[in-house]
Amino acid sequence: QVLSLPIVVIVHGNQDNNAKATVLWDNAFSEIDRVPFVVAERVPWEKMCDTLNLKFKAEVQTTKGLLKEHYFFLAQKIFSDHSASLKDFQSRSVSWAQFNKEILPGRGFTFWQWFDGVLDLTKRCLKSYWSDRLIIGFISKQYVCKLLSSEPDGTFLLRFSDSEIGGVTIAHGTPSVTGSPAPRLPSGSSQVENIQPFSAKDLSIRSLGDRIRDLGQLRNLYPNIPKDQAFGSHYNSEWGGAE
């Protein structure tokens, strides 16, 4: 006899995402001397953070893992709680249902489905950008507004889409216009717009770096790095318009 890594048998590709979640949970949180197939239903959030970080680095093949700011955003997402502090989350535990069964509020997918989409997108299209720390990624739209509303127009950052699985969006500051629906903090001098998310298919047609170069309204990567300095090494040699 020999213990193997967890195995899930599926009969259709649409079961793949759920199977990966089952394998990840079993592999990370089961005990060696357990009763077969018995795994904890709840685990400490800090242990989940370690698991997500290891999974991200292994899947994307990068040495640049998740930061504490990323964990805070992920905790807000999985617990559907935007009022707790980072310290509050450290003492909580997360359930299997919160990880891969319960639909996120206002969305049509679970936390794991969303996170797995981020993994796939980053692995396929954004590895070098992430490794160069050009993508904040795990940050809420509300906090982006707080960061950018007081920055000069044209300041931008990259975040993973909340509303779509496997999308990256560009948030940037623009001059305030009366009556505009774009979110804006009362004390800010700029309003913040989010460009429609780019999927892996979009980025296979034209890379993220070239799309950023194409968009003249983007000037400086937050906090204050000229975009050509930040993304120049990711530009293709041709200087034409969008393909």
Side-chain angles (χ1 to χ4, degrees):
Q1 284 187 335
V2 63
L3 289 173
S4 77
L5 291 173
I7 295 172
V8 175
V9 178
I10 62 176
V11 296
H12 194 279
N14 62 14
Q15 298 173 316
D16 181 66
N17 183 268
N18 186 62
K20 287 193 289 186
T22 302
V23 168
L24 179 65
W25 187 277
D26 190 287
N27 198 34
F29 307 126
S30 61
E31 300 292 339
I32 293 296
D33 57 351
R34 64 175 171 161
V35 175
F37 309 111
V38 173
V39 189
E41 278 293 317
R42 302 188 69 89
V43 297
W45 170 241
E46 286 192 313
K47 195 169 183 179
M48 172 60 75
C49 289
D50 291 340
T51 298
L52 294 176
N53 184 47
L54 289 172
K55 179 65 175 175
F56 191 95
K57 291 197 293 184
E59 195 78 15
V60 178
Q61 291 293 292
T62 179
T63 59
K64 300 297 172 57
L66 305 181
L67 307 174
K68 66 178 181 179
E69 295 85 359
H70 299 149
Y71 294 138
F72 186 45
F73 167 78
L74 293 172
Q76 290 177 320
K77 197 170 191 70
I78 201 168
F79 293 114
S80 300
D81 185 350
H82 293 272
S83 62
S85 68
L86 180 62
K87 187 176 181 180
D88 292 334
F89 287 129
Q90 291 174 347
S91 61
R92 293 193 187 183
S93 60
V94 61
S95 68
W96 165 252
Q98 289 170 312
F99 179 68
N100 189 49
K101 292 188 74 174
E102 297 173 357
I103 301 298
L104 294 172
R107 306 301 180 201
F109 43 80
T110 67
F111 173 86
W112 167 250
Q113 287 172 325
W114 176 83
F115 189 82
D116 189 44
V118 167
L119 287 178
D120 184 64
L121 175 70
T122 308
K123 175 177 65 175
R124 293 169 60 185
C125 305
L126 304 175
K127 176 182 175 180
S128 58
Y129 302 92
W130 175 270
S131 296
D132 289 344
R133 289 298 191 201
L134 300 176
I135 299 176
I136 293 181
F138 300 103
I139 184 172
S140 69
K141 185 180 292 187
Q142 292 75 19
Y143 193 58
V144 167
C145 289
K146 183 178 179 180
L147 291 180
L148 297 185
S149 62
S150 58
E151 295 296 324
D153 297 338
T155 303
F156 68 98
L157 56 79
L158 303 170
R159 52 177 289 270
F160 297 123
S161 173
D162 271 331
S163 59
E164 296 185 18
I165 293 178
V168 62
T169 188
I170 303 170
H172 65 97
T174 63
S176 299
V177 178
T178 303
S180 171
R184 177 175 176 251
L185 291 180
S187 60
S189 59
S190 297
Q191 58 190 18
V192 177
E193 293 184 354
N194 289 270
I195 295 174
Q196 182 174 345
F198 300 120
S199 66
K201 181 179 180 180
D202 296 326
L203 299 179
S204 68
I205 296 172
R206 189 161 183 81
S207 72
L208 180 63
D210 288 342
R211 289 177 184 274
I212 289 172
R213 182 180 61 189
D214 293 341
L215 296 169
Q217 69 268 40
L218 306 181
R219 298 171 189 163
N220 297 311
L221 180 67
Y222 179 85
N224 188 30
I225 307 173
K227 73 174 183 181
D228 290 342
Q229 177 183 328
F231 292 92
S233 63
H234 298 277
Y235 295 162
N236 287 322
S237 57
E238 54 85 19
W239 282 83
E243 296 173 350

